[in-house]
Every structure is written in C-alpha cells, then in structure tokens.
Amino acid sequence: MSAKSATSRAGKTSRKPATNSKAAAAKSKTGKLPEWNLGDLYSGIDAPEIARDLQKLDAECVAFETDYKGKLAEGVARDDGGVWLAQAVRRYEAIDDLAGRLGSYAGLVHAGDSVDAAISKFYGDVSERLTAASLHLLFFALELNRIDDAVIERAMQAPELAHYRPWIEDLRKDKPYQLEDRVEQLFHEKSQSGYAAWNRLFDQTISGLRFKVGAKELAIEPVLNLLQDRAPEKRKAAAQALAKTFKDNERTFALITNTLAKDKEISDRWRGFQDVADSRHLNNRVEREVVDALVSSVRAAYPRLSHRYYALKAGWFKKKKLAHWDRNAPLPFAATGTVAWPEAQKMVLTAYRGFSTEMADIAERFFAERWIDAPVRPGKAPGAFSHPTTPSAHPYVLMNYQGKPRDVMTLAHELGHGVHQVLAAKQGALMAPTPLTLAETASVFGEMLTFKRLLSQTSNAKQRQALLAGKVEDMINTVVRQIAFYSFERAVHTERKDGELTAERIGQIWLSVQNESLGPAIDIRPGYENFWMYIPHFIHSPFYVYAYAFGDCLVNSLYAVYENASEGFAERYLEMLAAGGTKHYSELLRPFGLDAKDPKFWDGGLSVISGMIDELEAMG
C-alpha cells in the first residue's frame, strides 16, 4: 500500500462508472481511463468459484490441523525432520495463497465501492470466513516457536527447507511476544468484532462523507484535489468544507481513534511490548534505534527543509505566510493544463525503459492487461495503492487519476510497487512480502526515475523551477509530513494509556506536530485541527508512516549510487526487488555500500532534499 502527499495514499475501489457532469468533463481532459479487470481472480461476487474455494479453504485448514497439531516437536526431531517440516510449510503456503486470492478479491471489490450494501456484505462475509478458517492454522507458528533452537537449526540444514529458513527465523523473532494458544485464538477470533470492524466503519464513514463546496456536494477525493486547484478561492472553499464536515463527524472519528488505540494497548500489554511502536518495528524487522535515528535526523532537519521551502513558496506568491490550504497550491509559474492518461502512461514507461527494459516491460503489462483502476467514482475509496494479491495471480493498482502532474508521479510510484510485487512473486506466498523498511523503495525510485526524465527534457527555466519545486514538495510530503504523522501517532497512543482523548485534545496534538514540521511560513487557520481524521494509515496500519520517510531517504542514497555507478546497477537493483522477504534489509543494501545503522546515513538522504532547495533559492 502506498501513501503520501496531501491526500494520504491508501484506498479501496468501485465498479460503477461516474455519471455526473464534473466526472464527464474530467474524463474528456484526461482521456478514457482504465478500469481494472478483477476477472483474473473471480468473475464476480456471486461467482460459484468463490463458494467452491471457501469450502476448499475450510477443508484444507481442518486437514492441516488434523495432520500436524500437537505433532510438530516430534516430527521436527525425527532424522528426516527437515524434509518433514518442508512438506508441512509447503502445504501451509498453498493455503496462504488460496486465502490471499479470496481476501484480495473481497478487499479490491470493496475498495471499488465501499458504500454498496451487497459488496459490503460480501466483504464482511468473506472476511469472517477467512478468520474462521485460519483459526485452524494458529497452532502452527505457536508450536514451531516452542521447539528448541538446536532442534530447529538441525532441521533447517535440510536442502528442502533452505528456501523457508528466513520465514522460520522471522517467525521465531515473535517468540518472546507469543501468548498461550487459547489466548491467541481469542485475540484472532475477536479481531472481526474488534479492530477489523472499526477499520471497516472508518472506510465506510470516510467514503460516505459529503462536503458542500459552493452549490455542490462532493465526496472526499475531489475536495482534497481542490486543495491543489489554481484558484485560491477554490482551495479556501475546499479547506472550509473539509473542516465543517470533519467537525460534524468528530465524535465518530475520535471514538474510532480511541477504540483502536486502546485495542492496540491491550494487545501490546499482553504481549509484553515496551514501546507503543515496538510491534510495528518487529513486524518491519527493523531495530527501534534505526527508526529513532531516522526520526531525530528528520526533525532536526525541519528548519533547513520544510521551513525553508515554505518560506520560499510564500515569496513566490508574494506573501509572508501561506494559509494552510495553500500549502500544496500549484506554483504561479507552473505550466497549466491536464496530463491526459496516454501521456502519463508514456512518461512513466519511457522513464522506466531508460533505466531497465525488464522493468518497463513488467510495468507495461499493468496497462495492457487491465491491472489498473484509474477513474474517480462515487463510493470509490480515496488515494492510491498497489495490492500484491497473491503470487499465483498478479498485483492490481488503484488510483484516482485527475490529470495533475502529481497524479503522474503517483502512477510512477504505484507502478514501482507493482513491478516490485511481480518480481518478488516467484518467492512464493510466504517469502514474497517485503518488510515495510523496503516496501517503499521501488515506488519512490520509480518516482525519481520519472522526475529525472522529465527534468532532463525541460529546457524552459521557469518550468524546470516548477518541476524541481514540485519534487521538493513531494519529498517534504514523504519525509517531513510522514515523520510528523509518526510523532502525532506516538503522542496519541502514549496519552491514550491514561484515558480517552477528546476530539479537541487529538486536534491540539495534531496542531502541535504540524506547527513544528511546517514552520512559521504556513499560517494554520481554524478548522485544520481536525485534518487528522482522514488519514487512513492511522487506522489501518498504526505507525506505518515512517516507512515512507525510510524509503525516500534510502532511495536518495540509492539514486546517488546509481548516478555514480558503473554498469550492472539495474541488474543488482532488480535482484534486490526480486528477493522479496528472503533477506534482511541490511543484507539487501550491502551490495550498494549502504548501511542504515550508520547515523550519517539519514543525513545523506536528507541532504539531497536540502540541495534541491539550495538550487531553488539560487534560481530566485
């Protein structure tokens, strides 16, 4: 999943074409936009294959439990324990792949239209069935982790188990936080009526909100898009409409936030996590001190990054300060007009092809085989993402394409994820997923390739300045904004331990981190205190957001290696992506001479952004 910039990138999808006149006008400017073909998963929500596969999943899970529960320790200790365990893991992986296909289809259809009653019921029913089936698999990881280290190590010497060694080693990192079997089962079953239900309530609420801008009632995505409109009165009207509707719904969003923070605190306490973000770090396979070093480096850099850039931007608008709704306003000297979809496709594929033919060929399949859903539609979730689905299928990209230059960068970003997911799929369902520390690398690298290509083709001085400024804004939204988000989440989750937070209190914390990160050149007006409400990552993936800053700083360093590299960089880069989750991020970075544990590492990535701001200052 992917998120960044003013409209935090995350979402869900609709099968209904937009019919209003505004949508028709947008379509004429952008050209015909593709809608994805989910038929590669299932032909529809009532397809007989879904019922068949759900029954198959139930049977496979029960059979797996019957064959292995209570027998792992004895089986692994056998002379052929490694071969025996490899067979069990392969069966477990096949079940995971089937569950991934069912869950992905339900999630993507719901992403397409989270307010349609039939689709919502389908999504809920499938989610419940998957949870019920997976209860029969819970024992596997728990029993594996109780086996003595020496016994497991001996079993892993078997060549048949070699491929799964990283998965087993990762699993065993969870060992200190594992609970007794029945408690694990209770946590797992209650998730459907617990955090999963609150996640669903958030999705349905945000998709169903309407914002009054002038005489029109709009969904959230078009209103967020207006914050990047050329007309200052439209930006202001959009911000005020967002503020009013958020205010009207603040009790719901505050309740969702409080409940999920409490739910997480209960889990963390039972499992023995010390810090509010430790479970995320463990999940990401990244050390807390590495994230702390990233956060402190970025916060220390606020004055030379965001504060300095927004002061420059205010000057371009001939103002001392910019109202918060002008933060992402198009620059007065930027080119006008809409980028039509075929042009956006050509821009990104040309940039990718300039780096690697293989990378461009994979990206081209997303267009040719209808793996992308691009139009804005009523009921469709905001933002953008690339969903990996499962290795036996292929990824799907969701966008809300409206022809802005930023939308082109979003396309480059999500296709980067898509290429990564296609390359890693060969590792199989257990080993393909990439930890969040590297999940944003390919996406941000794809953006950088596209940006550099556009910059090299732009000779007009003012347009070069506009391109450079746009890239700096994106990087600030990726690095500064996401670390501010992380600081906000830390404060909310920490304070929640002492009792519920009112919407007003959450708003105060939000304003505090925003003031610190944006600096004195952004004038935060009344209404902005509730803009925390629409960020889906706070709800779906607590503390995910630092992955964007991690990825951006990492890519800045990686791109510097690329620009100075001899032949073979692209091959090494694609090998890194194809590794999926088979190696720790430190091992994957070693061939490029990069070490994220080095305190100077993050400063190197941040200096790329400050260097671009230096260049903008020199342009005047």
Side-chain angles (χ1 to χ4, degrees), residues 192-220:
Q192 280 301 301
S193 56
Y195 68 81
W198 290 95
N199 271 258
R200 191 171 154 196
L201 175 63
F202 173 85
D203 287 344
Q204 291 179 359
T205 304
I206 208 86
S207 294
L209 290 182
R210 292 297 174 262
F211 304 83
K212 194 165 179 16
V213 183
K216 293 177 181 168
E217 296 270 337
L218 300 174
I220 190 167

Side-chain angles (χ1 to χ4, degrees), residues 379-393:
K380 181 174 175 177
F385 62 70
S386 179
H387 191 307
T389 74
T390 195
S392 63

Side-chain angles (χ1 to χ4, degrees), residues 10 20 95 104 175 187 191 199 209 222 227 250 262 318 325 339 387 390 408 433 448 526 553 560 562 567 612:
N20 59 41
I95 292 169
S104 296
K175 190 175 178 179
F187 270 37
S191 69
N199 271 258
L209 290 182
L227 293 175
E250 66 180 5
K262 184 63 180 175
K318 302 194 174 359
W325 51 74
V339 182
H387 191 307
T390 195
V408 179
M448 184 66 94
C553 290
Y562 166 52
E567 287 296 305
M612 287 184 176

Side-chain angles (χ1 to χ4, degrees), residues 42-75:
Y42 296 100
S43 60
I45 63 173
D46 51 1
E49 291 81 5
I50 292 175
R52 179 202 69 195
D53 283 354
L54 282 167
Q55 280 185 316
K56 182 183 177 187
L57 183 70
D58 287 339
E60 295 279 354
C61 289
V62 170
F64 187 84
E65 185 178 43
T66 304
D67 291 348
Y68 294 107
K69 189 173 184 181
K71 302 168 188 170
L72 284 187
E74 186 186 338

Side-chain angles (χ1 to χ4, degrees), residues 136-209:
H136 297 287
L137 307 178
L138 269 183
F139 77 91
F140 191 54
L142 300 174
E143 281 191 34
L144 262 184
N145 279 352
R146 291 197 193 103
I147 297 170
D148 185 72
D149 288 349
V151 175
I152 277 282
E153 185 52 47
R154 189 169 63 250
M156 286 198 294
Q157 300 308 312
E160 291 87 348
L161 204 54
H163 176 68
Y164 297 106
R165 174 187 274 271
W167 181 76
I168 293 168
E169 288 176 344
D170 264 359
L171 209 59
R172 290 176 76 79
K173 287 175 186 167
D174 296 328
K175 190 175 178 179
Y177 310 102
Q178 195 170 284
L179 301 170
E180 186 262 318
D181 289 18
R182 280 179 62 76
V183 179
E184 289 287 357
Q185 184 177 337
L186 178 65
F187 270 37
H188 192 67
E189 261 190 276
K190 292 275 286 180
S191 69
Q192 280 301 301
S193 56
Y195 68 81
W198 290 95
N199 271 258
R200 191 171 154 196
L201 175 63
F202 173 85
D203 287 344
Q204 291 179 359
T205 304
I206 208 86
S207 294
L209 290 182

Side-chain angles (χ1 to χ4, degrees), residues 196-262:
W198 290 95
N199 271 258
R200 191 171 154 196
L201 175 63
F202 173 85
D203 287 344
Q204 291 179 359
T205 304
I206 208 86
S207 294
L209 290 182
R210 292 297 174 262
F211 304 83
K212 194 165 179 16
V213 183
K216 293 177 181 168
E217 296 270 337
L218 300 174
I220 190 167
E221 190 70 33
V223 183
L224 290 169
N225 193 54
L226 284 173
L227 293 175
Q228 297 172 37
D229 199 274
R230 285 206 161 270
E233 64 279 5
K234 286 188 183 175
R235 297 194 297 268
K236 183 176 180 179
Q240 290 174 337
L242 288 165
K244 183 182 184 309
T245 300
F246 288 156
K247 179 70 180 169
D248 292 344
N249 291 273
E250 66 180 5
R251 289 180 64 191
T252 302
F253 287 107
L255 179 59
I256 293 170
T257 300
N258 273 290
T259 304
L260 286 169
K262 184 63 180 175

